[in-house]
Amino acid sequence: MSVRDLIPWGRTTNASLPSRMRDEPVSPFLTLHREMNRLFDDVFSGLGGMPGLATRGLGWPSVELVETEQGLRVSAELPGLDEKDVELTIDDGVLTLRGEKRAETTDKERGYSERSYGRFERVLALPFAVEEDKVEATFRNGVLSVTLPRSAKAPERGRRIAINGGTPQVTAH
């Protein structure tokens, strides 16, 4: 078997095998090797193939946003945390959720100790103006619920910015 047989032809594209490889007899070990490579490519492609490993760190905690006529409801799943471990701030149309979890386990009989530490921060741009003074938050059974009432004042509209065209202006130095 040559090194050329180990090249993963066509794993990510629909390109066919080189003509030289089509005519050669197929070894069962080579077939197993190619199938194992294809399996690993499928599993590890795009980080979406392994939900437990790949998505645990991305976007934690899980946050749900529900827009109603009255405002916005935000729910965040924070298992194993207490309300003192979580910080919630709102500033200039942005809701920020921060927290950290520390855990330590010691088993003197077996002679080991284990520590874990994790921090997170989720920043959510709010889709409309809210009354920041009337925002309410509750924390029960590891779920943070935030109610953000819609502001009564009209939302600020964007404005068009004129673009000057034509000849460039010359400035004296």
Side-chain angles (χ1 to χ4, degrees):
M1 174 169 40
S2 69
V3 174
R4 182 182 171 114
D5 292 337
L6 300 176
I7 297 173
W9 294 104
R11 270 196 264 159
T12 57
T13 64
N14 290 331
S16 62
L17 295 174
S19 61
R20 182 172 175 218
M21 290 184 73
R22 278 190 226 133
D23 299 334
E24 294 177 2
V26 179
S27 163
F29 295 109
L30 180 59
T31 303
L32 175 65
H33 179 77
R34 286 186 184 143
E35 289 302 315
M36 292 300 294
N37 282 341
R38 188 173 295 120
L39 174 69
F40 281 106
D41 285 347
D42 291 344
V43 168
F44 291 113
S45 65
L47 294 180
M50 295 185 64
L53 178 65
T55 59
R56 186 175 307 168
L58 303 175
W60 188 81
S62 178
V63 176
E64 179 182 89
L65 300 166
V66 177
E67 186 173 347
T68 64
E69 288 184 20
Q70 294 79 25
L72 190 67
R73 273 193 336 256
V74 179
S75 298
E77 298 175 7
L78 303 166
L81 294 179
D82 294 324
E83 59 190 57
K84 64 179 174 33
D85 300 326
V86 180
E87 177 187 356
L88 187 65
T89 59
I90 186 168
D91 185 33
D92 198 27
V94 175
L95 181 70
T96 304
L97 172 64
R98 288 186 191 96
E100 65 181 294
K101 181 178 182 178
R102 294 176 185 245
E104 184 173 343
T105 306
T106 304
D107 187 350
K108 293 189 182 209
E109 283 183 23
R110 296 184 181 149
Y112 79 92
S113 66
E114 187 175 81
R115 292 179 190 91
S116 64
Y117 172 78
R119 295 188 66 153
F120 66 88
E121 180 174 320
R122 293 290 305 263
V123 179
L124 306 168
L126 301 175
F128 49 79
V130 298
E131 294 190 36
E132 294 181 7
D133 298 338
K134 296 182 179 178
V135 175
E136 295 179 357
T138 59
F139 192 88
R140 284 191 205 110
N141 299 327
V143 177
L144 175 69
S145 300
V146 183
T147 305
L148 302 131
R150 199 179 287 264
S151 177
K153 66 180 180 181
E156 296 178 12
R157 302 274 178 175
R159 70 177 184 95
R160 186 175 181 98
I161 300 171
I163 300 174
N164 295 325
T167 59
Q169 296 178 352
V170 178
T171 58
H173 294 281

